[in-house]
Amino acid sequence: MRISTIAAVVLLAAALSACTSGEKGNPTASPPSSGSSGNDSAGKLPPRPASLKVDSVDTCKLLTADQMKQVDTLAAEPDKLDLVDGQQSASCHYSNYAKYNYTIGAVTHKGVDYWLMGGGNLTTNVIKVADYGAVKVELSGGSGFDCSVAIDVADGQQLMVSYIPLTTGEKDQSVLCGKAEKAAGLALATLKTLK
């Protein structure tokens, strides 16, 4: 069973939702599924146009000041998070204080194919972010908790971007995923300039 900070944040958001809105906040558990969107109906990642290693990337520099304005964030705070499979990854929280967080993580110990192996209570879909293959990761049976996009940037590595609302006002999962995808595209554009 996968244990990750994303799952912990999702559970925290669910608990927060239950406490602040009077709702139960317990999404229906369902088996994980693996699907696809975009051009690849087989759920396989497209070829990577170039390798963009994230070993020494400062994740708090992956959104420029202009890009932070585009996703309406006000602050960037570095962190080390367990994003994938029990190992710490350099990360940065881009926040609009009490409204929402974007978390960008440089995962150097597992590639994006990790998300396509199934297991846990997650739904995954292969998508494209700019010209790179990626996997959209969502909590199965839940809505309005978070959405993550893991970009295939190098062998055994991924750039992971999550959008996490901190209030109960955002419930439309497609909106959450759209925000995660937008931030992922911006971070990828910056990453390309750092290499």
Side-chain angles (χ1 to χ4, degrees):
M1 180 175 178
R2 289 196 176 109
I3 299 174
S4 71
T5 297
I6 292 171
V9 170
V10 168
L11 292 174
L12 177 62
L16 179 63
S17 173
C19 293
T20 59
S21 69
E23 296 174 10
K24 291 291 182 201
N26 49 353
T28 305
S30 61
S33 65
S34 186
S36 66
S37 65
N39 299 334
D40 191 358
S41 62
K44 293 183 181 178
L45 291 165
R48 189 182 312 116
S51 182
L52 299 171
K53 290 197 171 275
V54 292
D55 301 88
S56 59
V57 169
D58 181 345
T59 54
C60 284
K61 291 186 178 178
L62 286 175
L63 290 183
T64 65
D66 181 57
Q67 290 170 330
M68 286 177 67
K69 288 178 189 173
Q70 291 179 52
V71 293
D72 197 22
T73 55
L74 305 170
E77 182 181 335
D79 203 352
K80 286 275 196 183
L81 297 173
D82 174 2
L83 297 175
V84 178
D85 204 26
Q87 194 166 338
Q88 298 285 304
S89 297
S91 303
C92 188
H93 300 289
Y94 294 87
S95 67
N96 191 319
Y97 299 109
K99 294 181 182 178
Y100 52 80
N101 268 341
Y102 288 90
T103 298
I104 299 178
V107 179
T108 59
H109 63 283
K110 294 277 183 181
V112 170
D113 55 342
Y114 169 84
W115 299 108
L116 299 176
M117 293 186 292
N121 193 24
L122 302 173
T123 300
T124 59
N125 291 291
V126 173
I127 61 171
K128 270 192 160 182
V129 174
D131 46 353
Y132 281 75
V135 177
K136 180 170 56 174
V137 182
E138 302 172 79
L139 180 65
S140 296
S143 180
F145 298 111
D146 80 340
C147 187
S148 299
V149 174
I151 307 170
D152 178 33
V153 291
D155 288 341
Q157 298 190 355
Q158 57 183 288
L159 182 65
M160 189 156 202
V161 180
S162 301
Y163 176 77
I164 306 156
L166 301 177
T167 66
T168 60
E170 292 185 278
K171 293 292 183 190
D172 187 337
Q173 193 66 23
S174 65
V175 171
L176 272 60
C177 289
K179 290 180 178 186
E181 289 178 42
K182 178 179 180 178
L186 294 172
L188 179 61
T190 302
L191 179 62
K192 289 177 181 179
T193 69
L194 301 178
K195 300 297 173 185

